Each structure stands twice: as C-alpha cells, then as structure tokens.
Amino acid sequence: MALDRVPLLAGNWKMNGLRAGVRELERVIVGAAELSTVEILVCPPATLVFAFAVEAHGSRVSIGAQDCHPEPSGAYTGDIAAEMLADAGASAVIVGHSERRSLHGESDGAVRAKALAAHRAGLVAIICVGETRDQRDRGRTLDVIGSQIDGSLPGAITAANTVIAYEPVWAIGTGLTPTTNDVAEVHGFIRERLAQRHGAAQDLRLLYGGSVKPSNAKELMAVANVDGALVGGASLKAEDFLGIATAAYR
C-alpha cells in the first residue's frame, strides 16, 4: 500500500439497526479513538444517518449511507437524494453494491449516475464491483470487473471523491473468501485498469469486501493494493468491527 493511501475500514450495516444501535456506534467511537492509522466509516440504514452523524461528530468515526438516487430532488417516492444524505451528516455513500445490482437490477450506467450524484453532493462514492461464482468458475472474473469499472465509474474521479470496493459476490455473507493470490490479482488488475482510464489511479483506495473478519483481516489487508475493507455482517458488532481494525492496523 502506498504511504499516502490511508487505509479505510467501512462498515455496511445493510437493512439492520434501530435507534438503539447508537449504543453500538458509541462503542465503535471509543475504540476508534485509539486507531490512528486507519479511517473508520459506518454506513447505517438511511433512517439512522442523522442520529449517527450527531453521535459521531468530533470523533474519529465518519458516517456514510448505503445508496442514493441520481437526481437531487423530484417525484421519486421512497428514494433519497445524495444531497439529503449530505444534509443529514453523511460524508460518503455506497453505490453499486452487488445486492443493489442483483436485487434491484441496477446497471453499470445506473451506478455511474449515482456516483455522479454523490460527487455533486460532495460525498465520497464507494463504488462496488465483483463477480458471481458462475463468472469466476468460467474464468470471466477480470472481464466482468473490467466491464464494471469501465461502465460504473464517472470520468472525473479523484482520491478525494471515489473509493473502489472489490466484493466477490460469492464471498459476501457466505464465510467463503478468495485466496490472497486471487485478491492480489483482482486488485492489481483494477489498479492497472484505473491507470489506463484515470490519472488518479495510484492515489485511489481499493477496498476488499466479502466475509472479512478479525481472524482473516491481517492476511487480507496485507495484500498488495488492498487499502482497507468494506465489512458487512461483522460491522454490526463493535467488538468484531474493531477487532478487524486492530488485527490489521495496530
């Protein structure tokens, strides 16, 4: 990892958490105070973004969101604009997560539009890419990742407004993880692809996601071009989430 790429540990709570979840956030805040070498981001459901942002204000923990609409406002019942998330206190938003791509049919073009919306609102766009088990078994991993990178990323990305998260779909929530060689191959490929298309390739942070836990965090975070993790289930408990950060970066 380049010396100027500060590692990022981002927790995606998905559709989990009620107001009482602020107690878990408090524990993350306390633990994060002693982790000066890694940035900590918690992405709760939209209903909790404001409350979490208020609780985390002035701490070493930032608050993000899990999705946004491409437009800043309008007749889009049930949707949330990036500007609304920023107004609620979010500093980043996840776009293109495999669950959005598969369950909601989001195309690369739709992901790109959401990333542009995040930039418009001053949010960091955490853009997700990843292959399915079938695609990997057919040897199409790099083709799929390359296509997603080409189609999902806006033209003007910088290290300040964009993070890329590689999450092999078959490893999310399954307990399965690719080998470190597999992760190194994909992350190296992403770095090269970014260099071909974007001048900021060496500065952008690349996260790994998919069944990251305290027991495998050190090994995964030591892989070349891995600049942190996008953590799902293990981010719901402060002990597990902080355990990942401690194992990898302390």
Side-chain angles (χ1 to χ4, degrees):
M1 184 178 66
L3 293 177
D4 55 350
R5 296 201 304 264
V6 178
L8 171 65
L9 187 66
N12 175 14
W13 280 33
K14 306 189 181 186
M15 198 175 74
N16 296 288
L18 302 175
R19 285 183 297 173
V22 76
R23 303 284 83 83
E24 209 64 40
L25 176 65
E26 289 173 351
R27 298 183 183 97
V28 173
I29 291 170
V30 171
E34 309 204 359
L35 295 168
S36 60
T37 61
V38 58
E39 292 183 11
I40 304 292
L41 176 73
V42 175
C43 300
T47 54
L48 297 177
V49 168
F50 177 74
F52 274 34
V54 169
E55 186 67 31
H57 181 71
S59 75
R60 296 201 66 257
V61 177
S62 299
I63 303 303
Q66 300 173 19
D67 186 43
C68 68
H69 193 277
E71 297 298 326
S73 61
Y76 303 103
T77 300
D79 285 311
I80 300 175
E83 283 80 1
M84 294 173 176
L85 297 171
D87 184 59
S91 61
V93 60
I94 300 167
V95 296
H97 191 280
S98 66
E99 290 159 2
R100 298 293 310 180
R101 290 178 185 264
S102 63
L103 299 177
H104 296 269
E106 291 187 2
S107 65
D108 291 337
V111 175
R112 183 179 183 274
K114 291 184 175 187
L116 283 168
H119 294 168
R120 182 188 66 224
L123 301 176
V124 175
I126 301 176
I127 303 174
C128 300
V129 298
E131 84 284 7
T132 64
R133 179 81 257 182
D134 178 64
Q135 290 165 336
R136 172 165 282 275
D137 289 344
R138 289 189 286 127
R140 296 195 59 237
T141 294
L142 299 186
D143 289 338
V144 170
I145 301 299
S147 178
Q148 290 176 338
I149 289 288
D150 293 348
S152 301
L153 270 62
I157 61 171
T158 69
N161 68 17
T162 301
V163 171
I164 309 298
Y166 166 56
E167 290 198 308
V169 178
W170 51 274
I172 299 174
T174 64
L176 302 173
T177 56
T179 67
T180 53
N181 286 338
D182 290 336
V183 175
E185 179 186 33
V186 174
H187 278 243
F189 172 80
I190 293 173
R191 187 77 68 195
E192 291 177 7
R193 194 74 163 210
L194 292 173
Q196 294 170 2
R197 298 177 60 85
H198 305 279
Q202 293 306 312
D203 297 327
L204 257 69
R205 289 181 288 187
L206 308 183
L207 309 184
Y208 170 75
S211 295
V212 180
K213 45 190 177 288
S215 61
N216 62 18
K218 186 176 181 64
E219 183 179 32
L220 288 168
M221 297 304 103
V223 174
N225 288 305
V226 173
D227 306 309
L230 180 57
V231 183
S235 69
L236 294 171
K237 293 295 183 182
E239 181 180 1
D240 293 336
F241 192 45
L242 293 169
I244 291 170
T246 300
Y249 299 114
R250 192 171 181 181

